[in-house]
Amino acid sequence: MNDNKVALITGASRGIGRAIALKFAKEGIAVALTARDESQMKNVSDEISALGGIQPLEIPADLRDISQIPAISKRVINEWGRIDILVNNAGLGYLKPFLEIKPEEFQEMLDVNLRALFLLTQDVLPHMIERRTGNIVNIASLAGKNGFKTGTGYAATKWALRGFAQCLMLEVREYDIRVITIFPGSVETGFGSGGVSPTGTPSQNKIQSVDIAETVYLAVNMPDRTMLSEIDMRPSNPAKK
Ligand SMILES: NC(=O)c1ccc[n+]([C@@H]2O[C@H](COP(=O)([O-])OP(=O)(O)OC[C@H]3O[C@@H](n4cnc5c(N)ncnc54)[C@H](OP(=O)(O)O)[C@@H]3O)[C@@H](O)[C@H]2O)c1
């Protein structure tokens, strides 16, 4: 089913991006990884090789720097000739009271969570339009649909992502390109402050990265006529002991 499919995954050095890369590779998809941390990316790549997956491409890049973005998709197209799935996953959140968020922290969230995703999608989309096929997967957050204390900056980027994704979905589905946006609640990763989520869910009851990876895989393998355009993910029982 996945013969010759190619995925580009941002934020693939750890957390949710790593889990998506491992799941895709296990299913026979060739994965291109991008992130800043080269040694963590190499670890993910080694894990994939150990599983017998296709040797990943490792593309170091800092998404805060727009000059580094065009080379990411160029490298994948040069090496593998196509991108079937773009996973816009890289992101960060400074979760703290509004008056404590520094201008440079707000800027970093805007640059990585929104601007880089916008620009990278612009780079990848023409190749998908040319082939009239493709999946663009965005990892948003339930913070992109609900407000919470300490979320002013982070939620603003994720609400903006939702607006971007809805508009893009309507523009590109006529080319048989799906735009799939996932809105997870708290996921057990090193993201943010760790421990308890803004909604108070204890860490052992949180969604796991592998759950997101399974969902992304399911969504990109739906029958061609169907698109899961928005997916909310919550713990099924946050209070379970
Ligand atoms: N964990 C949660 O509770 C949760 C819930 C809902 C949504 N999300 C979303 O899920 C996505 C992944 O989160 P996660 O939990 O997996 O976080 P994580 O473990 O902190 O991983 C974040 C990833 O983003 C990359 N990244 C951050 N800044 C970057 C930059 N300037 N340039 C390039 N890459 C950068 C990191 O790579 P390097 O540091 O190596 O560059 C890392 O691979 C984010 O968009 C987040 O908003 C997370």
Side-chain angles (χ1 to χ4, degrees), residues 26-57:
K26 273 186 211 153
E27 300 292 347
I29 299 171
V31 292
L33 316 173
T34 185
R36 289 167 302 180
D37 188 323
E38 297 188 39
S39 80
Q40 280 192 302
M41 225 170 5
K42 168 127 189 4
N43 291 342
V44 176
S45 191
D46 289 346
E47 280 183 87
I48 287 171
S49 302
L51 290 168
I54 298 161
Q55 181 65 42
L57 286 182

Side-chain angles (χ1 to χ4, degrees), residues 126-156:
H127 300 281
M128 292 183 170
I129 290 177
E130 196 184 322
R131 294 176 50 237
R132 297 190 75 91
T133 183
N135 290 275
I136 295 164
V137 180
N138 302 304
I139 308 298
S141 167
L142 282 179
K145 292 189 173 188
N146 307 289
F148 63 97
K149 284 181 182 174
T150 74
T152 49
Y154 179 65

Side-chain angles (χ1 to χ4, degrees), residues 89-91 113 139-141 143-144 153-163 183:
N89 162 75
N113 300 2
I139 308 298
S141 167
Y154 179 65
T157 66
K158 296 295 187 177
W159 282 69
L161 166 54
R162 187 183 187 202
F183 297 82

